[in-house]
Amino acid sequence: QGRQDADAVIDCVSRLEREQISWRIEGSEVYRVNHEYKAGEPYEISYDLAYVVLQEREVSEAGDDLLALTIRPLASCWGIEDGKKQVPETQKIEEACSAVDDSKVHIVDEQGKELTQASDLSENGTWYVLFDEAGLSLDFGAMGKGIACDRVAENLEENQVEGACVAVGGSVLCYGAKPDGSGFRIGIRDPRGTENDMMGTIEVRSDKHPVYISTSGDYEKYFIQDGKRYHHILNPKTGYPAESGLVSVTIVSTDGTLADGLSTSLFIMGEENAADFWREHKDDFDAILMSDDGTLYVTEGLENDFSTERTVEIIR
């Protein structure tokens, strides 16, 4: 049964990417939207895609619009995730930035009325995406792994799985409990160590509801030019990799999509703004922030669950 459950999880993640949210895979819904839409004309999409577009919009707006659903032209300009290792020309960055504007993407119903919240959708409706101009495109890179973890949790519930820990890239889903009833221990990678070096661990109890842990950092996709590190987490407002003083952000939440989106948003914000943001939304998530000088900042909700040998400053 365990093998069947594992296969079902792998299939769930694969289908989500292949059939819906990948901008790369020809035939996926996002690929079709990006290549077939005409500016100013509604393009019919599934309830699931309409839902995640609005979900990303809500997370982005809460986080100072630092999570751009239309980041693809800028990400392609830099090409860091595809192995490019050179800073683009300033003019090309500026041109790409002009095509990054989430305010020009709308979800509308059959009457053309715009919806602003995922909760406004109903599964039996017909939904459309409307782009104000050509040259825009959807990219769920900043939240796709969290979306996948949310779908996996639904799959585990449907299959009546009692406990599981599932990693999808930089996001981890803890579901239920171990056979002995204990929680899960999740290691957080040291952004300046090897992939096996941990800066600490989190004890997670997920017997009441799924718990998601998502990490964003500057250490997996980057290049160094003239002694400066250029990583893949781009600030849509500047057009350049975020320079926030942070090298790693981990979010713990009961919402996978939120966790994945906020790990990017808070990374771009920097420690002070991230701490203020957490104080305004502390019921929704907790966070572990690591600055470029090695200082660890941990929100008080994780004070007793995060273990490390490093010095920690608690955010209250």
Side-chain angles (χ1 to χ4, degrees):
Q1 182 63 43
R3 182 68 255 176
Q4 287 180 322
D5 292 335
D7 288 344
V9 165
I10 293 168
D11 183 58
C12 173
V13 174
S14 177
R15 277 190 293 107
L16 174 69
E17 181 180 31
R18 184 177 67 250
E19 297 176 7
Q20 191 170 73
I21 67 172
S22 173
W23 62 269
R24 291 179 184 269
I25 299 176
E26 190 171 350
S28 79
E29 188 172 14
V30 165
Y31 184 97
R32 294 198 308 273
V33 168
N34 288 346
H35 288 79
E36 295 175 6
Y37 84 83
K38 293 180 174 59
E41 297 182 14
Y43 184 103
E44 186 173 347
I45 57 175
S46 66
Y47 164 84
D48 286 340
L49 184 57
Y51 187 91
V52 293
V53 168
L54 291 175
Q55 201 173 19
E56 177 144 357
R57 177 73 55 79
E58 289 176 41
V59 175
S60 181
E61 288 177 353
D64 199 25
D65 292 319
L66 294 173
L67 194 70
L69 181 60
T70 52
I71 196 76
R72 178 43 35 201
L74 183 61
S76 293
C77 176
W78 280 87
I80 295 173
E81 74 258 82
D82 292 324
K84 287 186 183 177
K85 298 183 182 297
Q86 189 169 5
V87 177
E89 296 173 12
T90 302
Q91 182 181 350
K92 290 186 177 179
I93 294 173
E94 291 173 351
E95 288 173 358
C97 262
S98 68
V100 180
D101 190 344
D102 287 10
S103 69
K104 295 177 179 177
V105 180
H106 314 276
I107 299 298
V108 298
D109 63 14
E110 289 177 279
Q111 285 73 45
K113 177 186 175 185
E114 183 171 5
L115 290 91
T116 57
Q117 294 181 312
S119 58
D120 293 338
L121 293 168
S122 63
E123 291 193 51
N124 56 6
T126 304
W127 311 108
Y128 303 84
V129 62
L130 176 67
F131 295 83
D132 289 342
E133 60 186 46
L136 299 164
S137 57
L138 303 179
D139 180 350
F140 287 93
M143 287 174 63
K145 296 175 181 63
I147 293 168
C149 283
D150 280 331
R151 297 283 176 86
V152 168
E154 294 171 6
N155 181 275
L156 294 174
E157 185 174 3
E158 288 172 7
N159 292 329
Q160 298 181 321
V161 175
E162 293 183 1
C165 186
V166 180
V168 183
S171 294
V172 176
L173 159 66
C174 296
Y175 183 92
K178 293 180 181 178
D180 62 4
S182 65
F184 299 94
R185 177 175 289 184
I186 308 299
I188 308 300
R189 180 174 165 179
D190 181 349
R192 292 297 180 262
T194 70
E195 61 182 29
N196 295 320
D197 292 329
M198 299 295 132
M199 68 178 180
T201 60
I202 306 174
E203 288 286 340
V204 178
R205 298 289 314 186
S206 57
D207 40 1
K208 293 181 180 178
H209 44 66
V211 176
Y212 304 85
I213 301 100
S214 187
T215 299
S216 292
D218 70 353
Y219 51 89
E220 285 201 338
K221 301 171 185 175
Y222 70 93
F223 66 89
I224 295 176
Q225 182 173 318
D226 298 327
K228 183 173 180 178
R229 179 186 294 250
Y230 294 89
H231 55 80
H232 74 292
I233 303 176
L234 303 174
N235 184 335
K237 296 187 176 183
T238 67
Y240 285 79
E243 295 186 68
S244 66
L246 294 175
V247 297
S248 175
V249 171
T250 296
I251 302 295
V252 181
S253 175
T254 55
D255 183 321
T257 305
L258 181 70
D260 199 12
L262 287 183
S263 67
T264 300
S265 295
L266 269 63
F267 184 98
I268 299 172
M269 283 183 201
E271 184 270 322
E272 287 190 15
N273 289 334
D276 288 341
F277 182 84
W278 170 78
R279 292 183 185 105
E280 294 174 16
H281 303 87
K282 62 171 63 178
D283 291 340
D284 298 326
F285 74 98
D286 274 293
I288 300 166
L289 318 173
M290 186 174 182
S291 66
D292 52 16
D293 65 4
T295 304
L296 276 178
Y297 302 90
V298 178
T299 56
E300 64 181 355
L302 294 174
E303 187 172 2
N304 298 321
D305 298 320
F306 179 64
S307 302
T308 182
E309 295 180 358
R310 299 170 181 260
T311 301
V312 172
E313 292 191 23
I314 303 298
I315 299 174
R316 303 187 189 280

